Amino acid sequence: MSSGRVRVRFAPSPTGIFHVGGARSALFNWLVALRAGGDFVLRVEDTDASRNRPEWTDGIISALDWLGISPGRYEGPVLQSSRAQAHRDAAARLQQAGLAYFCDCTREVLAERTGNPQRGYDGHCRDRGLAAGPGRALRFRTPDEGVTVVRDLIRGEPQFANDTLEDFVVARADGSAVFLLANVVDDLEMGITHVIRGEEHLPNTPKQQLLWTALGAPEPPVWAHVPVIVNEKRQKLSKRRDKVALESYRDEGYLPAAMKNYLMLLGWAPPGDEEIVPWETIETTFDLADVKPSAAFFDEKKLRSFNGEYIRALTPDEFTIAVRPWLTGPAAPWPSDAFDPKVFAAVAELAQSRLSVLAEIVPMVDFLFLADAPVDDAAWAKAMKGPAAALLADVDEHFATVEWAADALKTALTEIGERHGLKLAKAQAPVRVAVTGRSVGLPLFESLELLGRDTTRARLAAARARLAADAATA
């Protein structure tokens, strides 16, 4: 099937979050189709009715759209459940051709018969001639001799001795096909030429390749098993242990361009020394043959760094649009009428240079739009000690008459700090926490200028009152 039009498929199960590993596989498939001028098929494997939900299918479509794989640019989504009859028909053909047989052995019976609960199926029912019936699954009759060679673009030609492959189940007692058969039937009938998926599926591949042959395919698809993604402990990424949901990164404010660029590096590298490259470069240089088989480390710190670079590369208008959901949406911690676009525009460039993810914009600018300074108890405890009370009183007095401009405010605080035996960095700390609620953030004096004299002094007064109350109860 290596000749003719390239057709790939991405076949996720709608059973929960959209895993970053699935996103990486989707991108690899997408690029193979793009570069070959072929087709990308979205097939949703929804046959596990007990675990599937429609909203998770919607989530898959939404996540792909965020990555640039948009509806209308691919075939589907095709629901695997809609193809149940084709799966049943294929199972019946295998049984009628003598390539599959019915079996009533349970795990308990097998363990009792072999004395080993870990042993695979022993072929007990191969020649019993059982008919279909309750409790009788359909098993594929694997060859007793020879090897099955899997030709993989990434892993070479791994070989599997056929006598190590148990007679595996292809259909349940109720006639419904299991994953192995359903996938092969769908791939075969949809004309899929390349199966690009995670390394964890490699052990299934010899079984599926045998099914391709049994169902009459002249040759199997081109296989490519992309490397497993691991955490810093070299453990496979797990949704129970690691941050793996693509949706959580999207909601935190990672840019799709940054995420796509980073995911592509999990097993592959663009030519040259640069890792941050335009998507157009990735499109024109990606090749499955260049993907490395070794495990790929998902480094969230590196991803954050990537994202920061992409944020800083936005134009001012692009940046304002990107952060708008956090500033004016329902999640914003201030009333909608409290947000002032002109005030934000004055600090946008300063904020843009400091963000790693877009959600960080809120704690960076919230002091400008909230009625009172935010409360950060840890920052308060660190800054409000020693001469803080006396310094704030002195600052409040001088801020009543000083010219309200960043340079003049800086000069005034420098002189006040010197009188209290503090360098500017130390003198800034209690003022920053009193006025902005944070120990770090935007440049202080530009922030004070924007906030205005009245609001600044009101917050200084509130901080002094809290310090006095704390002292009274100490």
Side-chain angles (χ1 to χ4, degrees):
M1 295 186 66
S2 58
S3 61
R5 187 175 179 85
V6 169
R7 287 176 59 80
V8 303
R9 50 79 163 173
F10 177 57
S13 298
T15 56
I17 56 94
F18 192 80
H19 197 288
V20 291
R24 192 268 308 265
S25 292
L27 289 171
F28 279 19
N29 276 279
W30 181 249
L31 284 171
V32 167
L34 279 181
R35 294 208 64 194
D39 305 312
F40 178 100
V41 180
L42 173 60
R43 188 174 72 226
V44 179
E45 299 189 340
D46 64 337
T47 53
D48 188 346
S50 65
R51 299 176 61 206
N52 298 331
R53 296 182 187 174
E55 61 267 29
W56 286 335
T57 296
D58 294 339
I60 291 169
I61 295 171
S62 174
L64 290 176
D65 188 29
W66 185 70
L67 290 172
I69 305 175
S70 305
R73 299 184 66 193
Y74 55 78
E75 290 184 22
V78 178
L79 299 183
Q80 193 171 58
S81 59
S82 69
R83 297 185 42 75
Q85 190 57 52
H87 305 155
R88 289 175 180 270
D89 292 345
R93 293 200 305 274
L94 292 173
Q95 192 271 329
Q96 291 163 8
L99 299 173
Y101 59 90
F102 289 103
C103 171
D104 61 2
C105 296
T106 64
R107 289 183 180 276
E108 292 75 19
V109 169
L110 177 63
E112 183 178 349
R113 185 167 64 239
T114 64
N116 181 0
Q118 305 302 321
R119 177 175 172 174
Y121 183 65
D122 61 356
H124 177 75
C125 293
R126 267 193 170 196
D127 300 314
R128 291 178 64 195
L130 297 178
R136 293 178 178 178
L138 186 67
R139 289 184 179 273
F140 182 78
R141 187 187 297 268
T142 58
D144 295 324
E145 300 176 345
V147 297
T148 297
V149 179
V150 174
R151 292 179 172 82
D152 190 297
L153 288 179
I154 298 172
R155 301 179 184 280
E157 297 187 356
Q159 299 186 12
F160 300 83
N162 290 331
D163 60 8
T164 65
L165 303 176
E166 67 177 5
D167 288 356
F168 53 91
V169 173
V170 292
R172 305 174 185 88
D174 64 4
S176 62
V178 300
F179 162 82
L180 290 170
L181 178 61
N183 263 25
V184 170
V185 172
D186 291 345
D187 287 344
L188 183 56
E189 295 189 4
M190 291 179 181
I192 300 303
T193 62
H194 293 64
V195 174
I196 306 161
R197 58 187 182 180
E199 177 186 352
E200 64 271 17
H201 292 289
L202 183 59
N204 293 326
T205 307
K207 300 175 183 179
Q208 291 183 306
Q209 191 161 298
L210 290 171
L211 286 174
W212 275 79
T213 301
L215 291 172
E219 56 182 297
V222 175
W223 304 104
H225 289 88
V226 300
V228 66
I229 303 177
V230 298
N231 62 19
E232 69 279 0
K233 296 180 180 179
R234 311 303 291 178
Q235 301 168 320
K236 180 182 175 182
L237 282 191
S238 166
K239 63 182 180 181
R240 295 179 179 85
R241 180 186 57 239
D242 304 304
K243 182 179 174 183
V244 299
L246 187 74
E247 300 93 332
S248 68
Y249 289 101
R250 177 185 62 191
D251 296 345
E252 192 176 338
Y254 284 80
L255 296 175
M259 179 60 76
K260 288 163 62 177
N261 189 165
Y262 183 71
L263 289 176
M264 289 302 302
L265 300 182
L266 300 180
W268 175 81
D273 298 327
E274 297 296 325
E275 291 185 308
I276 298 179
V277 295
W279 181 250
E280 293 76 14
T281 299
I282 294 174
E283 279 191 6
T284 58
T285 57
F286 176 74
D287 192 324
L288 279 175
D290 296 329
V291 175
K292 306 301 181 185
S294 55
F297 170 36
F298 189 91
D299 186 346
E300 189 177 347
K301 292 181 180 178
K302 186 173 182 178
L303 172 58
R304 283 179 67 88
S305 176
F306 265 51
N307 201 60
E309 293 290 336
Y310 272 88
I311 288 174
R312 287 185 283 280
L314 296 174
T315 66
D317 286 344
E318 289 171 339
F319 175 68
T320 299
I321 292 170
V323 296
R324 186 172 294 160
W326 285 269
L327 300 175
T328 61
W334 46 75
S336 57
D337 58 356
F339 179 73
D340 187 336
K342 292 182 179 178
V343 171
F344 177 73
V347 299
E349 184 177 354
L350 294 171
Q352 182 177 358
S353 66
R354 289 165 167 78
L355 297 184
S356 294
V357 294
L358 296 176
E360 292 174 345
I361 192 65
V362 173
M364 194 166 290
V365 303
D366 56 1
F367 72 95
L368 291 168
F369 308 117
L370 292 171
D372 302 307
V375 177
D376 183 332
D377 290 332
W380 178 273
K382 184 177 180 180
M384 298 303 184
K385 54 188 178 182
L391 182 136
L392 290 180
D394 206 353
V395 169
D396 190 19
E397 178 182 348
H398 280 74
F399 277 13
T401 57
V402 71
E403 177 191 358
W404 205 257
D407 290 344
L409 293 167
K410 180 178 181 180
T411 299
L413 186 53
T414 300
E415 294 172 353
I416 294 168
E418 290 174 352
R419 287 201 294 271
H420 291 270
L422 300 173
K423 292 184 178 180
L424 180 60
K426 293 291 186 180
Q428 282 190 80
V431 176
R432 178 183 290 280
V433 171
V435 178
T436 72
R438 315 283 182 187
S439 57
V440 295
L442 298 174
L444 176 61
F445 302 106
E446 287 80 357
S447 299
L448 297 178
E449 181 177 341
L450 272 175
L451 200 58
R453 190 190 307 272
D454 291 344
T455 300
T456 297
R457 294 195 66 208
R459 292 185 180 181
L460 289 171
R464 292 171 61 197
R466 179 178 172 183
L467 281 171
D470 290 347
T473 58

